[in-house]
Amino acid sequence: MSIKANTARAKPLAEDVFASDVLSGLSAPRKSLAPKYFYDERGSQLFEQITELKEYYPTRCELAILREHKADIAGVFGAKTALVEFGTGSTREVRIVLEAAKTVEAYVPVDISAEMLRLEAAQLQHDWPRLRVLPVVADFTQPFRLPSAIVGLARSGFFPGSTIGNFEPHDAAAFLRHAGRMLGSRATLVVGVDLVKDAGVLNAAYDDADGVTAQFNLNLLARINRELSADFDLDAFSHRAFYNSERRRIEMHLVSARRQQVHIGGRAIEFAAGETIHTENSYKYTIESFGLLAQSAGWTPLTSWTDGYFLVQALAKRA
Ligand code: AVI
């Protein structure tokens, strides 16, 4: 079967949105850049390397939980279900669940990155010839059209990878509400969530000894140089990551080593020595705090699977 993706039209052009997001983020009194821009080709490769670092436990822990509990997790999906995966980078996680999910008749991976989605979907279709694989190219945080081929099927959602932690808590709640609207009544949702833990473990996971996370963070400046003809001196910025225990989040920043000026598309941006660009938050939850967040967004917590480091949480949509 050949796979065609449902393509949502992007307006205005993605490059224009990138340029205006970068300029407004760097013109604010507290400079920031959105973490979604980490993932150009090099950034995606670096993220894959991060997931294999000994210090970066989330991916390893989540995969182990999925493997150990795949039959129970698959049991959350009802009879004759379409499984919608929000933001499918790789299909590594869903493959584990699909091995046990006999009731899933259609799989709908949703991602903004058309090429990666096409490749992953085609490979998965090859490996699961009887499953209907129906990729949708879209920003999964915004309303999108689900394939008409899933009409009549029950709907379940899958959101692994602790991506929910990269949303501000009110945006995480908004996303969960949006997922509920997309999936409809009687839906279930399985979410991967990173847990609050010892600050030393968290700090090491985001500031690894080999400097891969530092490269990942700095690559954002390389991307801006390349795509927006900017002149960031990458040697004049350094990676800083730390656990903010009050706000229960890892913060990543790029720190300016000196007073300097950077030019982007004809605009000059001033940096003081030690000034930072805040590039990412990665929120950590407890089982209780995530349960409360989900409840505030119209979901009832069902089973929690955890190893103490990471949580795979099943949710049921409240009627
Ligand atoms: C993609 N996301 C869940 C990662 C995280 O752990 O917040 C991104 C990341 N940033 C640095 N290391 C990994």
Side-chain angles (χ1 to χ4, degrees):
M1 190 199 272
S2 82
I3 307 245
K4 275 208 203 90
N6 228 350
T7 310
R9 205 177 319 173
K11 264 207 274 177
L13 282 177
E15 308 89 79
D16 298 343
V17 176
F18 180 42
S20 84
D21 284 356
V22 166
L23 285 172
S24 70
L26 296 183
S27 309
R30 289 187 183 192
K31 295 182 172 59
S32 68
L33 291 168
K36 66 180 175 186
Y37 293 124
F38 281 137
Y39 302 93
D40 65 351
E41 201 184 334
R42 176 77 183 132
S44 302
Q45 282 167 2
L46 285 164
F47 180 65
E48 279 311 303
Q49 285 181 39
I50 288 174
T51 64
E52 280 157 23
L53 292 169
K54 63 178 187 317
E55 296 97 329
Y56 191 78
Y57 60 85
T59 310
R60 224 173 12 256
C61 290
E62 181 175 44
L63 291 173
I65 295 169
L66 292 175
R67 279 189 202 106
E68 190 178 338
H69 300 286
K70 63 183 175 189
D72 292 340
I73 294 167
V76 169
F77 311 138
K80 291 183 181 288
T81 291
L83 183 63
V84 178
E85 181 169 6
F86 295 92
T88 310
S90 103
T91 52
R92 183 173 46 187
E93 289 88 356
V94 81
R95 282 168 174 273
I96 298 172
V97 174
L98 284 174
E99 278 169 22
K102 303 285 175 260
T103 62
V104 171
E105 297 200 354
Y107 168 57
V108 182
V110 183
D111 204 278
I112 193 82
S113 164
E115 185 54 16
M116 170 100 170
L117 185 68
R118 195 182 59 76
L119 292 172
E120 289 282 331
Q123 192 56 51
L124 195 125
Q125 181 69 84
H126 176 264
D127 298 341
W128 268 269
R130 296 228 297 268
L131 184 70
R132 275 185 279 167
V133 179
L134 306 162
V136 175
V137 179
D139 174 350
F140 70 86
T141 65
Q142 301 300 316
F144 55 87
R145 199 187 302 247
L146 283 166
S148 50
I150 69 165
V151 169
L153 297 180
R155 292 173 189 177
S156 291
F158 190 48
F159 192 44
S162 67
T163 308
I164 193 108
N166 297 129
F167 295 148
E168 291 303 304
H170 64 274
D171 291 331
F175 166 72
L176 290 173
R177 236 175 271 119
H178 153 73
R181 278 193 296 270
M182 294 299 303
L183 296 170
S185 56
R186 292 208 294 276
T188 55
L189 176 65
V190 172
V191 189
V193 184
D194 196 14
L195 292 176
V196 169
K197 59 184 65 63
D198 176 70
V201 174
L202 287 166
N203 287 331
Y206 291 84
D207 194 8
D208 58 284
D210 292 341
V212 181
T213 313
Q215 285 182 59
F216 174 72
N217 202 2
L218 282 159
N219 179 61
L220 192 44
L221 302 186
R223 178 178 186 182
I224 295 170
N225 279 351
R226 192 179 59 251
E227 294 185 23
L228 304 180
S229 308
D231 60 359
F232 276 105
D233 173 0
L234 269 58
D235 294 329
F237 286 86
S238 59
H239 168 69
R240 181 185 293 161
F242 60 91
Y243 183 56
N244 178 336
S245 56
E246 235 165 77
R247 306 191 72 168
R248 291 183 172 172
R249 69 187 193 194
I250 283 283
E251 293 186 15
M252 292 212 319
H253 296 256
L254 289 163
V255 188
S256 175
R258 52 177 158 79
R259 188 170 165 212
Q260 57 184 314
Q261 205 176 53
V262 174
H263 302 93
I264 307 175
R267 289 262 297 273
I269 311 277
E270 302 284 345
F271 286 87
E275 186 176 2
T276 81
I277 309 172
H278 192 165
T279 50
E280 187 176 61
N281 288 321
S282 188
Y283 282 86
K284 309 303 168 188
Y285 291 89
T286 62
I287 297 179
E288 294 71 29
S289 69
F290 187 71
L292 288 172
L293 180 87
Q295 284 181 41
S296 76
W299 294 90
T300 301
L302 301 174
T303 314
S304 310
W305 296 276
T306 182
D307 59 358
Y309 266 43
F310 197 91
L311 168 69
V312 174
Q313 179 67 54
L315 304 170
K317 177 116 189 286
R318 268 206 313 277

